[in-house]
Amino acid sequence: MLETLERGPKNGVWHSLIDKVYAERTLWAAWETVQARDGAGGVDRESIAGFGRTAKKRIEELSRQLRERRYVPQPVRRVLIPKPGTTQQRPLGIPTIRDRIVQTALRKVLEPVFEREFARESFGFRPGRSCHQALERVERLLAEGYTHVVDADLKSYFDTIPHAALLARVKAKVVDSRILELVEQFLKQGVMEEVKGWSPTTVGTPQGGVISPLLANLYLDALDWKLHFGGWELVRYADDFVILCRTQAQAEEVLGVVRHWCDEAGLQLHPEKTRVVDMSEPGGFDFLGYHFEGTARWPREKSLARLEVG
C-alpha cells in the first residue's frame, strides 16, 4: 500500500482496500490502540478487560465477519456529561469495543489515502500536526499584520455533516464497494439512550467514533483548498477555525465566501458565535483554549478569571 501511495494508484482511485482492514495483523494493531486508550463499554457494556480475556478469538471472529460481509456495528451508547463552564450537559457517544477496533482498523487504512492530499492549513487530528503548531501560525500571522480575524463557529458540525455528500468525498478516492459499505454502516448505526431508546442517525459522523475526525477533516478539506487557492490565511483545527486578514473589507469578503460554501455543503455558521474581530480594539478572540488580544495570547482560563474579577 505504501509503495502504491508513492507511485499513485491506478486512475487515482483505490479499488481494493477491504483486505487490509480485515487482515488480522491490522485488527490486532487496532486492538492494541483501543486497549491503550481504555474507556468505557458501549451498549453491550463489555469492558476493555473483558474483551482482552478472549482477544485472540474475538479478533479472528471480527476478521471472519468482515471478510464474509457479516459484520454489523451496534448502536452507539449515548450519555450526557456536564458541559465545562456551564450548567448544561452535552451528549457523549460510546461505541462498543469491537466497533472501536474495526473503526480504528478502517482509519489506519483510509488515513494514508487522504492525509497526503489534505491542505497544510488543517492541523487537527492529523499525524505530525498539533494544536501548538496551529497556535504558532496564528501568532505569526498576527505579528505580520493580519489583524482582522474571522472567528468562525460551525453549528453542531459533527452532528450535521450530510451523509450523501460525505460519502461522495470518500468515493472520489476509494471505489472499493465494501469499504464504502462499511463507512456507511458506521454513519447509520444509530444511537441508544437509556430514556429514549434507539434513534437512527441520518446526518453526522459517528458520535465518539474513531473514524469521525478523519471523515470530518475530509469533508472540510474542500473548504481548506478553496481558501488556500483564494490566497486567504486559514488556520483550522477540526471544526474550529480562524481566517486572518489585513483589512476589515477582506475579512468581510472571505466570511461571505465561507458562508456561501457552507450553504452549498449543508452546514451552518453559528449566527451568534461567528464574527469579525479587529485586533486593534479591545476584546480579541478565543482559539483552541487560548485568548488572543493584540499580538499576545494566554490560556483562556486566565481570560475568564480577568472578566470575573472585573
Side-chain angles (χ1 to χ4, degrees):
M1 183 177 180
L2 290 172
E3 290 174 359
T4 305
L5 279 168
E6 289 304 315
R7 66 176 182 266
K10 186 177 180 181
N11 300 323
V13 296
W14 292 80
H15 293 266
S16 181
L17 287 173
I18 190 65
D19 58 313
K20 296 166 182 62
V21 176
Y22 65 62
E24 286 189 24
R25 67 177 182 176
T26 307
L27 292 169
W28 266 108
W31 156 239
E32 289 170 358
T33 300
V34 171
Q35 185 179 35
R37 290 176 178 168
D38 204 3
V43 291
D44 59 2
R45 304 296 171 138
E46 182 174 40
S47 66
I48 292 287
F51 190 97
R53 282 192 285 271
T54 57
K56 186 177 185 301
K57 179 181 177 182
R58 299 292 296 281
I59 293 297
E60 291 172 352
E61 180 185 5
L62 277 176
S63 178
R64 243 187 338 267
Q65 289 178 343
L66 288 164
R67 188 171 60 250
E68 296 171 2
R69 226 166 184 156
R70 293 188 294 108
Y71 171 81
V72 178
Q74 294 175 274
V76 173
R77 181 163 73 97
R78 179 186 283 170
V79 296
L80 297 177
I81 61 173
K83 193 173 183 179
T86 71
T87 57
Q88 300 176 335
Q89 293 182 310
R90 67 179 181 87
L92 175 69
I94 309 174
T96 62
I97 306 300
R98 67 190 283 275
D99 290 342
R100 299 211 291 264
I101 291 169
V102 175
Q103 281 196 38
T104 302
L106 182 60
R107 177 172 178 167
K108 285 179 183 292
V109 172
L110 288 182
E111 191 169 63
V113 172
F114 297 107
E115 171 61 30
R116 63 191 288 112
E117 296 183 8
F118 280 163
R120 62 178 174 82
E121 290 84 355
S122 166
F123 293 87
F125 306 106
R126 295 183 58 189
R129 293 186 155 244
S130 69
C131 171
H132 294 296
Q133 290 173 332
L135 292 167
E136 288 169 0
R137 175 167 158 78
V138 172
E139 281 185 319
R140 185 171 66 252
L141 288 167
L142 288 171
E144 291 174 2
Y146 291 84
T147 55
H148 290 78
V149 182
V150 175
D151 180 14
D153 186 280
L154 287 169
K155 191 174 181 179
S156 303
Y157 172 59
F158 283 85
D159 296 329
T160 58
I161 302 175
H163 287 174
L166 175 57
L167 284 168
R169 283 163 168 74
V170 179
K171 289 177 184 177
K173 296 296 292 182
V174 177
V175 294
D176 184 331
S177 62
R178 295 180 64 180
I179 290 289
L180 297 172
E181 179 183 292
L182 192 55
V183 172
E184 188 168 14
Q185 281 183 307
F186 281 122
L187 291 176
K188 299 185 181 301
Q189 67 190 114
V191 296
M192 183 74 73
E193 295 181 80
E194 289 188 8
V195 177
K196 298 180 180 179
W198 181 82
S199 301
T201 46
T202 56
V203 292
T205 55
Q207 281 198 2
V210 180
I211 195 72
S212 290
L214 174 61
L215 295 177
N217 272 334
L218 175 61
Y219 198 66
L220 285 181
D221 188 56
L223 175 62
D224 296 346
W225 282 110
K226 183 178 184 65
L227 297 179
H228 175 91
F229 289 122
W232 304 105
E233 298 294 351
L234 166 72
V235 185
R236 182 173 70 80
Y237 194 95
D239 60 332
D240 198 357
F241 64 94
V242 291
I243 308 164
L244 294 94
C245 306
R246 292 193 181 276
T247 68
Q248 177 81 14
Q250 290 174 347
E252 296 289 353
E253 180 186 352
V254 75
L255 178 55
V257 171
V258 173
R259 214 181 286 280
H260 179 70
W261 185 90
C262 286
D263 288 342
E264 291 189 333
L267 303 176
Q268 183 181 356
L269 286 172
H270 199 294
E272 297 172 5
K273 296 180 180 179
T274 300
R275 61 204 179 104
V276 173
V277 179
D278 183 348
M279 297 299 284
S280 67
E281 299 178 357
F285 65 95
D286 296 329
F287 185 58
L288 302 181
Y290 282 82
H291 181 75
F292 287 83
E293 189 94 25
T295 57
R297 71 171 163 102
W298 54 82
R300 184 170 178 270
E301 290 76 10
K302 291 184 180 180
S303 175
L304 293 173
R306 289 185 184 189
L307 290 174
E308 289 170 2
V309 170

